[in-house]
PDB file of all heavy atoms in Angstrom:
ATOM      1  N   ALA A 378      -9.725  10.661  40.199  1.00 98.00           N
ATOM      2  CA  ALA A 378     -10.764   9.778  40.591  1.00 98.00           C
ATOM      3  C   ALA A 378     -10.239   8.512  41.169  1.00 98.00           C
ATOM      4  O   ALA A 378     -10.774   7.899  42.102  1.00 98.00           O
ATOM      5  CB  ALA A 378     -11.717   9.457  39.397  1.00 98.00           C
ATOM      6  N   LEU A 379      -9.158   7.976  40.644  1.00 98.00           N
ATOM      7  CA  LEU A 379      -8.454   6.777  41.137  1.00 98.00           C
ATOM      8  C   LEU A 379      -7.942   7.042  42.543  1.00 98.00           C
ATOM      9  O   LEU A 379      -8.121   6.133  43.377  1.00 98.00           O
ATOM     10  CB  LEU A 379      -7.227   6.367  40.149  1.00 98.00           C
ATOM     11  CG  LEU A 379      -6.468   5.186  40.584  1.00 98.00           C
ATOM     12  CD1 LEU A 379      -7.345   3.944  40.770  1.00 98.00           C
ATOM     13  CD2 LEU A 379      -5.283   5.016  39.657  1.00 98.00           C
ATOM     14  N   LEU A 380      -7.337   8.152  42.863  1.00 98.00           N
ATOM     15  CA  LEU A 380      -6.884   8.487  44.118  1.00 98.00           C
ATOM     16  C   LEU A 380      -8.033   8.598  45.175  1.00 98.00           C
ATOM     17  O   LEU A 380      -7.956   8.095  46.335  1.00 98.00           O
ATOM     18  CB  LEU A 380      -6.232   9.886  44.139  1.00 98.00           C
ATOM     19  CG  LEU A 380      -4.751   9.944  43.575  1.00 98.00           C
ATOM     20  CD1 LEU A 380      -4.301  11.414  43.397  1.00 98.00           C
ATOM     21  CD2 LEU A 380      -3.813   9.151  44.485  1.00 98.00           C
ATOM     22  N   ALA A 381      -9.162   9.079  44.592  1.00 98.00           N
ATOM     23  CA  ALA A 381     -10.514   9.107  45.520  1.00 98.00           C
ATOM     24  C   ALA A 381     -10.872   7.630  45.914  1.00 98.00           C
ATOM     25  O   ALA A 381     -11.164   7.453  47.137  1.00 98.00           O
ATOM     26  CB  ALA A 381     -11.616   9.856  44.778  1.00 98.00           C
ATOM     27  N   CYS A 382     -10.866   6.763  44.942  1.00 98.00           N
ATOM     28  CA  CYS A 382     -11.129   5.374  45.295  1.00 98.00           C
ATOM     29  C   CYS A 382     -10.138   4.787  46.269  1.00 98.00           C
ATOM     30  O   CYS A 382     -10.579   4.084  47.177  1.00 98.00           O
ATOM     31  CB  CYS A 382     -11.097   4.503  44.001  1.00 98.00           C
ATOM     32  SG  CYS A 382     -12.382   4.904  42.857  1.00 98.00           S
ATOM     33  N   GLN A 383      -8.869   5.085  46.090  1.00 97.00           N
ATOM     34  CA  GLN A 383      -7.873   4.526  46.964  1.00 97.00           C
ATOM     35  C   GLN A 383      -7.945   5.141  48.381  1.00 97.00           C
ATOM     36  O   GLN A 383      -7.370   4.560  49.308  1.00 97.00           O
ATOM     37  CB  GLN A 383      -6.457   4.925  46.442  1.00 97.00           C
ATOM     38  CG  GLN A 383      -6.205   4.046  45.148  1.00 97.00           C
ATOM     39  CD  GLN A 383      -4.941   4.478  44.460  1.00 97.00           C
ATOM     40  OE1 GLN A 383      -4.466   5.682  44.614  1.00 97.00           O
ATOM     41  NE2 GLN A 383      -4.434   3.614  43.528  1.00 97.00           N
ATOM     42  N   HIS A 384      -8.656   6.253  48.537  1.00 97.00           N
ATOM     43  CA  HIS A 384      -8.878   6.918  49.889  1.00 97.00           C
ATOM     44  C   HIS A 384     -10.357   6.733  50.331  1.00 97.00           C
ATOM     45  O   HIS A 384     -10.770   7.520  51.103  1.00 97.00           O
ATOM     46  CB  HIS A 384      -8.449   8.401  49.840  1.00 97.00           C
ATOM     47  CG  HIS A 384      -7.018   8.567  49.704  1.00 97.00           C
ATOM     48  ND1 HIS A 384      -6.296   8.508  48.564  1.00 97.00           N
ATOM     49  CD2 HIS A 384      -6.152   9.074  50.686  1.00 97.00           C
ATOM     50  CE1 HIS A 384      -5.004   8.754  48.836  1.00 97.00           C
ATOM     51  NE2 HIS A 384      -4.855   9.064  50.078  1.00 97.00           N
ATOM     52  N   ASP A 385     -10.918   5.691  49.848  1.00 96.00           N
ATOM     53  CA  ASP A 385     -12.269   5.210  50.309  1.00 96.00           C
ATOM     54  C   ASP A 385     -13.407   6.111  50.029  1.00 96.00           C
ATOM     55  O   ASP A 385     -14.470   6.165  50.732  1.00 96.00           O
ATOM     56  CB  ASP A 385     -12.179   5.002  51.893  1.00 96.00           C
ATOM     57  CG  ASP A 385     -13.203   3.993  52.294  1.00 96.00           C
ATOM     58  OD1 ASP A 385     -13.532   3.108  51.585  1.00 96.00           O
ATOM     59  OD2 ASP A 385     -13.698   4.198  53.464  1.00 96.00           O
ATOM     60  N   TYR A 386     -13.273   6.856  48.941  1.00 98.00           N
ATOM     61  CA  TYR A 386     -14.447   7.713  48.459  1.00 98.00           C
ATOM     62  C   TYR A 386     -15.196   6.938  47.307  1.00 98.00           C
ATOM     63  O   TYR A 386     -14.542   6.444  46.385  1.00 98.00           O
ATOM     64  CB  TYR A 386     -13.962   9.030  47.844  1.00 98.00           C
ATOM     65  CG  TYR A 386     -13.407   9.959  48.934  1.00 98.00           C
ATOM     66  CD1 TYR A 386     -12.119  10.321  49.091  1.00 98.00           C
ATOM     67  CD2 TYR A 386     -14.299  10.614  49.843  1.00 98.00           C
ATOM     68  CE1 TYR A 386     -11.619  11.174  50.091  1.00 98.00           C
ATOM     69  CE2 TYR A 386     -13.816  11.571  50.820  1.00 98.00           C
ATOM     70  CZ  TYR A 386     -12.446  11.750  50.866  1.00 98.00           C
ATOM     71  OH  TYR A 386     -12.001  12.678  51.765  1.00 98.00           O
ATOM     72  N   LYS A 387     -16.474   6.765  47.469  1.00 98.00           N
ATOM     73  CA  LYS A 387     -17.236   6.175  46.440  1.00 98.00           C
ATOM     74  C   LYS A 387     -17.241   7.179  45.311  1.00 98.00           C
ATOM     75  O   LYS A 387     -17.615   8.336  45.256  1.00 98.00           O
ATOM     76  CB  LYS A 387     -18.751   5.970  46.979  1.00 98.00           C
ATOM     77  CG  LYS A 387     -19.598   5.232  45.958  1.00 98.00           C
ATOM     78  CD  LYS A 387     -20.896   4.992  46.445  1.00 98.00           C
ATOM     79  CE  LYS A 387     -21.794   4.325  45.419  1.00 98.00           C
ATOM     80  NZ  LYS A 387     -23.185   4.084  45.927  1.00 98.00           N
ATOM     81  N   THR A 388     -16.786   6.599  44.165  1.00 98.00           N
ATOM     82  CA  THR A 388     -16.593   7.392  42.990  1.00 98.00           C
ATOM     83  C   THR A 388     -17.292   6.763  41.664  1.00 98.00           C
ATOM     84  O   THR A 388     -17.315   5.566  41.612  1.00 98.00           O
ATOM     85  CB  THR A 388     -15.053   7.540  42.625  1.00 98.00           C
ATOM     86  OG1 THR A 388     -14.420   8.061  43.882  1.00 98.00           O
ATOM     87  CG2 THR A 388     -14.717   8.408  41.426  1.00 98.00           C
ATOM     88  N   TYR A 389     -17.667   7.692  40.771  1.00 98.00           N
ATOM     89  CA  TYR A 389     -18.323   7.103  39.561  1.00 98.00           C
ATOM     90  C   TYR A 389     -17.888   7.957  38.373  1.00 98.00           C
ATOM     91  O   TYR A 389     -17.854   9.193  38.414  1.00 98.00           O
ATOM     92  CB  TYR A 389     -19.857   7.186  39.641  1.00 98.00           C
ATOM     93  CG  TYR A 389     -20.453   6.296  38.553  1.00 98.00           C
ATOM     94  CD1 TYR A 389     -20.530   4.919  38.617  1.00 98.00           C
ATOM     95  CD2 TYR A 389     -20.969   6.901  37.376  1.00 98.00           C
ATOM     96  CE1 TYR A 389     -21.128   4.159  37.642  1.00 98.00           C
ATOM     97  CE2 TYR A 389     -21.458   6.059  36.399  1.00 98.00           C
ATOM     98  CZ  TYR A 389     -21.590   4.655  36.574  1.00 98.00           C
ATOM     99  OH  TYR A 389     -22.131   3.949  35.576  1.00 98.00           O
ATOM    100  N   TYR A 390     -17.432   7.268  37.228  1.00 98.00           N
ATOM    101  CA  TYR A 390     -16.949   7.960  36.080  1.00 98.00           C
ATOM    102  C   TYR A 390     -17.900   7.714  34.985  1.00 98.00           C
ATOM    103  O   TYR A 390     -18.481   6.652  34.779  1.00 98.00           O
ATOM    104  CB  TYR A 390     -15.562   7.344  35.716  1.00 98.00           C
ATOM    105  CG  TYR A 390     -15.103   7.845  34.358  1.00 98.00           C
ATOM    106  CD1 TYR A 390     -14.359   9.001  34.193  1.00 98.00           C
ATOM    107  CD2 TYR A 390     -15.447   7.093  33.204  1.00 98.00           C
ATOM    108  CE1 TYR A 390     -13.896   9.384  32.927  1.00 98.00           C
ATOM    109  CE2 TYR A 390     -14.998   7.603  31.898  1.00 98.00           C
ATOM    110  CZ  TYR A 390     -14.253   8.746  31.813  1.00 98.00           C
ATOM    111  OH  TYR A 390     -13.891   9.138  30.578  1.00 98.00           O
ATOM    112  N   THR A 391     -18.077   8.707  34.141  1.00 97.00           N
ATOM    113  CA  THR A 391     -18.964   8.753  32.888  1.00 97.00           C
ATOM    114  C   THR A 391     -18.514   9.731  31.928  1.00 97.00           C
ATOM    115  O   THR A 391     -17.992  10.829  32.350  1.00 97.00           O
ATOM    116  CB  THR A 391     -20.427   8.796  33.260  1.00 97.00           C
ATOM    117  OG1 THR A 391     -21.228   8.597  32.027  1.00 97.00           O
ATOM    118  CG2 THR A 391     -20.767  10.098  33.816  1.00 97.00           C
ATOM    119  N   THR A 392     -18.737   9.516  30.697  1.00 93.00           N
ATOM    120  CA  THR A 392     -18.620  10.547  29.750  1.00 93.00           C
ATOM    121  C   THR A 392     -19.862  11.325  29.731  1.00 93.00           C
ATOM    122  O   THR A 392     -20.994  10.849  30.150  1.00 93.00           O
ATOM    123  CB  THR A 392     -18.230  10.093  28.305  1.00 93.00           C
ATOM    124  OG1 THR A 392     -19.373   9.260  27.812  1.00 93.00           O
ATOM    125  CG2 THR A 392     -17.052   9.292  28.358  1.00 93.00           C
ATOM    126  N   CYS A 393     -19.846  12.541  29.281  1.00 90.00           N
ATOM    127  CA  CYS A 393     -21.132  13.393  29.147  1.00 90.00           C
ATOM    128  C   CYS A 393     -22.151  12.720  28.312  1.00 90.00           C
ATOM    129  O   CYS A 393     -23.336  12.728  28.635  1.00 90.00           O
ATOM    130  CB  CYS A 393     -20.738  14.733  28.617  1.00 90.00           C
ATOM    131  SG  CYS A 393     -22.145  15.928  28.852  1.00 90.00           S
ATOM    132  N   SER A 394     -21.749  12.192  27.116  1.00 87.00           N
ATOM    133  CA  SER A 394     -22.612  11.657  26.257  1.00 87.00           C
ATOM    134  C   SER A 394     -23.331  10.343  26.835  1.00 87.00           C
ATOM    135  O   SER A 394     -24.515  10.093  26.643  1.00 87.00           O
ATOM    136  CB  SER A 394     -22.029  11.239  24.875  1.00 87.00           C
ATOM    137  OG  SER A 394     -20.976  10.461  25.002  1.00 87.00           O
ATOM    138  N   ASP A 395     -22.486   9.582  27.504  1.00 91.00           N
ATOM    139  CA  ASP A 395     -23.030   8.276  28.050  1.00 91.00           C
ATOM    140  C   ASP A 395     -24.046   8.590  29.188  1.00 91.00           C
ATOM    141  O   ASP A 395     -25.088   7.959  29.300  1.00 91.00           O
ATOM    142  CB  ASP A 395     -21.865   7.465  28.712  1.00 91.00           C
ATOM    143  CG  ASP A 395     -21.090   6.769  27.648  1.00 91.00           C
ATOM    144  OD1 ASP A 395     -21.577   6.671  26.417  1.00 91.00           O
ATOM    145  OD2 ASP A 395     -19.934   6.209  27.937  1.00 91.00           O
ATOM    146  N   LEU A 396     -23.769   9.642  29.922  1.00 93.00           N
ATOM    147  CA  LEU A 396     -24.777  10.040  31.027  1.00 93.00           C
ATOM    148  C   LEU A 396     -26.011  10.443  30.371  1.00 93.00           C
ATOM    149  O   LEU A 396     -27.117  10.102  30.906  1.00 93.00           O
ATOM    150  CB  LEU A 396     -24.112  11.223  31.826  1.00 93.00           C
ATOM    151  CG  LEU A 396     -24.946  11.787  33.006  1.00 93.00           C
ATOM    152  CD1 LEU A 396     -24.066  12.259  34.081  1.00 93.00           C
ATOM    153  CD2 LEU A 396     -25.793  12.953  32.474  1.00 93.00           C
ATOM    154  N   ILE A 397     -25.952  11.343  29.350  1.00 89.00           N
ATOM    155  CA  ILE A 397     -27.243  11.869  28.788  1.00 89.00           C
ATOM    156  C   ILE A 397     -27.975  10.710  28.106  1.00 89.00           C
ATOM    157  O   ILE A 397     -29.241  10.681  28.239  1.00 89.00           O
ATOM    158  CB  ILE A 397     -26.923  13.022  27.848  1.00 89.00           C
ATOM    159  CG1 ILE A 397     -26.351  14.299  28.602  1.00 89.00           C
ATOM    160  CG2 ILE A 397     -28.147  13.348  26.997  1.00 89.00           C
ATOM    161  CD1 ILE A 397     -25.897  15.350  27.677  1.00 89.00           C
ATOM    162  N   ASN A 398     -27.286   9.836  27.431  1.00 88.00           N
ATOM    163  CA  ASN A 398     -27.982   8.785  26.718  1.00 88.00           C
ATOM    164  C   ASN A 398     -28.624   7.841  27.704  1.00 88.00           C
ATOM    165  O   ASN A 398     -29.752   7.326  27.536  1.00 88.00           O
ATOM    166  CB  ASN A 398     -27.017   7.991  25.831  1.00 88.00           C
ATOM    167  CG  ASN A 398     -26.661   8.777  24.605  1.00 88.00           C
ATOM    168  OD1 ASN A 398     -27.347   9.540  24.170  1.00 88.00           O
ATOM    169  ND2 ASN A 398     -25.478   8.490  24.048  1.00 88.00           N
ATOM    170  N   ASP A 399     -27.973   7.596  28.828  1.00 93.00           N
ATOM    171  CA  ASP A 399     -28.447   6.749  29.963  1.00 93.00           C
ATOM    172  C   ASP A 399     -29.686   7.312  30.491  1.00 93.00           C
ATOM    173  O   ASP A 399     -30.747   6.676  30.770  1.00 93.00           O
ATOM    174  CB  ASP A 399     -27.427   6.572  30.928  1.00 93.00           C
ATOM    175  CG  ASP A 399     -27.794   5.523  32.103  1.00 93.00           C
ATOM    176  OD1 ASP A 399     -28.416   4.557  31.772  1.00 93.00           O
ATOM    177  OD2 ASP A 399     -27.487   5.734  33.260  1.00 93.00           O
ATOM    178  N   LEU A 400     -29.681   8.646  30.875  1.00 93.00           N
ATOM    179  CA  LEU A 400     -30.868   9.271  31.381  1.00 93.00           C
ATOM    180  C   LEU A 400     -32.034   9.357  30.434  1.00 93.00           C
ATOM    181  O   LEU A 400     -33.185   9.230  30.868  1.00 93.00           O
ATOM    182  CB  LEU A 400     -30.419  10.606  31.904  1.00 93.00           C
ATOM    183  CG  LEU A 400     -29.430  10.692  33.112  1.00 93.00           C
ATOM    184  CD1 LEU A 400     -29.230  12.114  33.633  1.00 93.00           C
ATOM    185  CD2 LEU A 400     -29.883   9.789  34.210  1.00 93.00           C
ATOM    186  N   ASN A 401     -31.685   9.595  29.107  1.00 90.00           N
ATOM    187  CA  ASN A 401     -32.705   9.549  28.172  1.00 90.00           C
ATOM    188  C   ASN A 401     -33.359   8.194  28.070  1.00 90.00           C
ATOM    189  O   ASN A 401     -34.648   8.163  27.958  1.00 90.00           O
ATOM    190  CB  ASN A 401     -32.110   9.930  26.728  1.00 90.00           C
ATOM    191  CG  ASN A 401     -32.411  11.351  26.308  1.00 90.00           C
ATOM    192  OD1 ASN A 401     -33.443  11.855  26.608  1.00 90.00           O
ATOM    193  ND2 ASN A 401     -31.511  11.881  25.542  1.00 90.00           N
ATOM    194  N   ALA A 402     -32.626   7.181  28.130  1.00 92.00           N
ATOM    195  CA  ALA A 402     -33.291   5.943  28.192  1.00 92.00           C
ATOM    196  C   ALA A 402     -34.125   5.679  29.420  1.00 92.00           C
ATOM    197  O   ALA A 402     -35.182   4.945  29.383  1.00 92.00           O
ATOM    198  CB  ALA A 402     -32.221   4.745  28.175  1.00 92.00           C
ATOM    199  N   GLY A 403     -33.716   6.199  30.544  1.00 94.00           N
ATOM    200  CA  GLY A 403     -34.496   6.183  31.737  1.00 94.00           C
ATOM    201  C   GLY A 403     -35.798   6.823  31.635  1.00 94.00           C
ATOM    202  O   GLY A 403     -36.850   6.460  32.225  1.00 94.00           O
ATOM    203  N   VAL A 404     -35.878   7.979  30.825  1.00 91.00           N
ATOM    204  CA  VAL A 404     -37.116   8.658  30.645  1.00 91.00           C
ATOM    205  C   VAL A 404     -38.128   7.779  29.845  1.00 91.00           C
ATOM    206  O   VAL A 404     -39.251   7.667  30.193  1.00 91.00           O
ATOM    207  CB  VAL A 404     -36.887  10.051  29.855  1.00 91.00           C
ATOM    208  CG1 VAL A 404     -38.214  10.541  29.379  1.00 91.00           C
ATOM    209  CG2 VAL A 404     -36.080  10.932  30.674  1.00 91.00           C
ATOM    210  N   TYR A 405     -37.622   7.150  28.790  1.00 92.00           N
ATOM    211  CA  TYR A 405     -38.553   6.318  27.970  1.00 92.00           C
ATOM    212  C   TYR A 405     -38.971   4.929  28.723  1.00 92.00           C
ATOM    213  O   TYR A 405     -39.984   4.456  28.538  1.00 92.00           O
ATOM    214  CB  TYR A 405     -37.770   5.996  26.593  1.00 92.00           C
ATOM    215  CG  TYR A 405     -37.667   7.214  25.793  1.00 92.00           C
ATOM    216  CD1 TYR A 405     -36.468   7.723  25.449  1.00 92.00           C
ATOM    217  CD2 TYR A 405     -38.814   7.795  25.229  1.00 92.00           C
ATOM    218  CE1 TYR A 405     -36.316   8.813  24.706  1.00 92.00           C
ATOM    219  CE2 TYR A 405     -38.668   8.979  24.389  1.00 92.00           C
ATOM    220  CZ  TYR A 405     -37.452   9.416  24.204  1.00 92.00           C
ATOM    221  OH  TYR A 405     -37.319  10.526  23.351  1.00 92.00           O
ATOM    222  N   GLU A 406     -37.953   4.467  29.620  1.00 95.00           N
ATOM    223  CA  GLU A 406     -38.331   3.248  30.268  1.00 95.00           C
ATOM    224  C   GLU A 406     -38.854   3.437  31.705  1.00 95.00           C
ATOM    225  O   GLU A 406     -39.039   2.457  32.404  1.00 95.00           O
ATOM    226  CB  GLU A 406     -36.974   2.408  30.341  1.00 95.00           C
ATOM    227  CG  GLU A 406     -36.396   2.008  29.016  1.00 95.00           C
ATOM    228  CD  GLU A 406     -34.982   1.362  29.187  1.00 95.00           C
ATOM    229  OE1 GLU A 406     -34.635   1.138  30.215  1.00 95.00           O
ATOM    230  OE2 GLU A 406     -34.404   1.098  28.086  1.00 95.00           O
ATOM    231  N   LYS A 407     -39.043   4.779  31.973  1.00 95.00           N
ATOM    232  CA  LYS A 407     -39.562   5.054  33.332  1.00 95.00           C
ATOM    233  C   LYS A 407     -38.668   4.553  34.521  1.00 95.00           C
ATOM    234  O   LYS A 407     -39.219   4.089  35.484  1.00 95.00           O
ATOM    235  CB  LYS A 407     -40.998   4.562  33.504  1.00 95.00           C
ATOM    236  CG  LYS A 407     -41.963   5.066  32.364  1.00 95.00           C
ATOM    237  CD  LYS A 407     -43.456   4.705  32.646  1.00 95.00           C
ATOM    238  CE  LYS A 407     -44.352   5.089  31.556  1.00 95.00           C
ATOM    239  NZ  LYS A 407     -44.303   6.599  31.225  1.00 95.00           N
ATOM    240  N   THR A 408     -37.366   4.676  34.287  1.00 96.00           N
ATOM    241  CA  THR A 408     -36.410   4.154  35.269  1.00 96.00           C
ATOM    242  C   THR A 408     -35.492   5.408  35.524  1.00 96.00           C
ATOM    243  O   THR A 408     -34.390   5.208  36.076  1.00 96.00           O
ATOM    244  CB  THR A 408     -35.562   3.042  34.778  1.00 96.00           C
ATOM    245  OG1 THR A 408     -34.969   3.411  33.587  1.00 96.00           O
ATOM    246  CG2 THR A 408     -36.448   1.821  34.650  1.00 96.00           C
ATOM    247  N   LEU A 409     -35.956   6.596  35.294  1.00 95.00           N
ATOM    248  CA  LEU A 409     -35.094   7.762  35.497  1.00 95.00           C
ATOM    249  C   LEU A 409     -34.577   7.927  36.863  1.00 95.00           C
ATOM    250  O   LEU A 409     -33.419   8.204  37.117  1.00 95.00           O
ATOM    251  CB  LEU A 409     -35.771   8.999  35.013  1.00 95.00           C
ATOM    252  CG  LEU A 409     -34.914  10.389  35.117  1.00 95.00           C
ATOM    253  CD1 LEU A 409     -33.761  10.277  34.259  1.00 95.00           C
ATOM    254  CD2 LEU A 409     -35.849  11.571  34.774  1.00 95.00           C
ATOM    255  N   ALA A 410     -35.535   7.760  37.858  1.00 95.00           N
ATOM    256  CA  ALA A 410     -35.068   7.986  39.249  1.00 95.00           C
ATOM    257  C   ALA A 410     -33.994   7.039  39.693  1.00 95.00           C
ATOM    258  O   ALA A 410     -33.011   7.427  40.345  1.00 95.00           O
ATOM    259  CB  ALA A 410     -36.201   7.881  40.252  1.00 95.00           C
ATOM    260  N   LYS A 411     -34.100   5.765  39.256  1.00 95.00           N
ATOM    261  CA  LYS A 411     -33.140   4.740  39.616  1.00 95.00           C
ATOM    262  C   LYS A 411     -31.742   5.044  38.919  1.00 95.00           C
ATOM    263  O   LYS A 411     -30.684   4.907  39.564  1.00 95.00           O
ATOM    264  CB  LYS A 411     -33.583   3.398  39.160  1.00 95.00           C
ATOM    265  CG  LYS A 411     -32.683   2.283  39.475  1.00 95.00           C
ATOM    266  CD  LYS A 411     -33.216   0.896  38.942  1.00 95.00           C
ATOM    267  CE  LYS A 411     -32.218  -0.167  39.155  1.00 95.00           C
ATOM    268  NZ  LYS A 411     -32.720  -1.526  38.731  1.00 95.00           N
ATOM    269  N   ARG A 412     -31.886   5.466  37.678  1.00 96.00           N
ATOM    270  CA  ARG A 412     -30.607   5.802  36.905  1.00 96.00           C
ATOM    271  C   ARG A 412     -29.888   6.975  37.551  1.00 96.00           C
ATOM    272  O   ARG A 412     -28.682   7.013  37.515  1.00 96.00           O
ATOM    273  CB  ARG A 412     -30.853   5.930  35.404  1.00 96.00           C
ATOM    274  CG  ARG A 412     -31.309   4.660  34.709  1.00 96.00           C
ATOM    275  CD  ARG A 412     -31.817   4.981  33.383  1.00 96.00           C
ATOM    276  NE  ARG A 412     -32.261   3.818  32.620  1.00 96.00           N
ATOM    277  CZ  ARG A 412     -31.698   3.013  31.667  1.00 96.00           C
ATOM    278  NH1 ARG A 412     -30.452   3.306  31.375  1.00 96.00           N
ATOM    279  NH2 ARG A 412     -32.279   1.992  31.198  1.00 96.00           N
ATOM    280  N   MET A 413     -30.699   7.921  37.918  1.00 97.00           N
ATOM    281  CA  MET A 413     -30.122   9.172  38.514  1.00 97.00           C
ATOM    282  C   MET A 413     -29.279   8.936  39.767  1.00 97.00           C
ATOM    283  O   MET A 413     -28.206   9.563  39.938  1.00 97.00           O
ATOM    284  CB  MET A 413     -31.165  10.179  38.792  1.00 97.00           C
ATOM    285  CG  MET A 413     -31.661  10.959  37.602  1.00 97.00           C
ATOM    286  SD  MET A 413     -32.741  12.310  38.110  1.00 97.00           S
ATOM    287  CE  MET A 413     -31.675  13.303  39.166  1.00 97.00           C
ATOM    288  N   ARG A 414     -29.768   7.941  40.592  1.00 97.00           N
ATOM    289  CA  ARG A 414     -28.977   7.611  41.861  1.00 97.00           C
ATOM    290  C   ARG A 414     -27.575   7.193  41.527  1.00 97.00           C
ATOM    291  O   ARG A 414     -26.655   7.346  42.369  1.00 97.00           O
ATOM    292  CB  ARG A 414     -29.759   6.559  42.698  1.00 97.00           C
ATOM    293  CG  ARG A 414     -31.022   7.103  43.374  1.00 97.00           C
ATOM    294  CD  ARG A 414     -31.586   6.138  44.328  1.00 97.00           C
ATOM    295  NE  ARG A 414     -32.094   4.870  43.722  1.00 97.00           N
ATOM    296  CZ  ARG A 414     -33.329   4.738  43.372  1.00 97.00           C
ATOM    297  NH1 ARG A 414     -34.131   5.829  43.468  1.00 97.00           N
ATOM    298  NH2 ARG A 414     -33.756   3.576  42.825  1.00 97.00           N
TER     299      ARG A 414
END
């Protein structure tokens, strides 16, 4: 992922649990579409 950043690729890192918790919050807060992007 670091190499990808160094070669101008837009990259994003997350743990599986952080991703799921974030999207779950999006469901309850009605911000799922924004969080998915």
Side-chain angles (χ1 to χ4, degrees):
L379 177 60
L380 285 171
C382 292
Q383 293 170 338
H384 286 77
D385 205 30
Y386 290 107
K387 185 179 179 183
T388 303
Y389 195 81
Y390 171 92
T391 181
T392 63
C393 190
S394 61
D395 283 348
L396 179 148
I397 291 175
N398 286 336
D399 186 35
L400 296 184
N401 255 328
V404 171
Y405 292 112
E406 297 172 7
K407 301 188 185 304
T408 58
L409 180 60
K411 179 181 178 181
R412 291 172 187 258
M413 280 189 59
R414 286 194 291 272

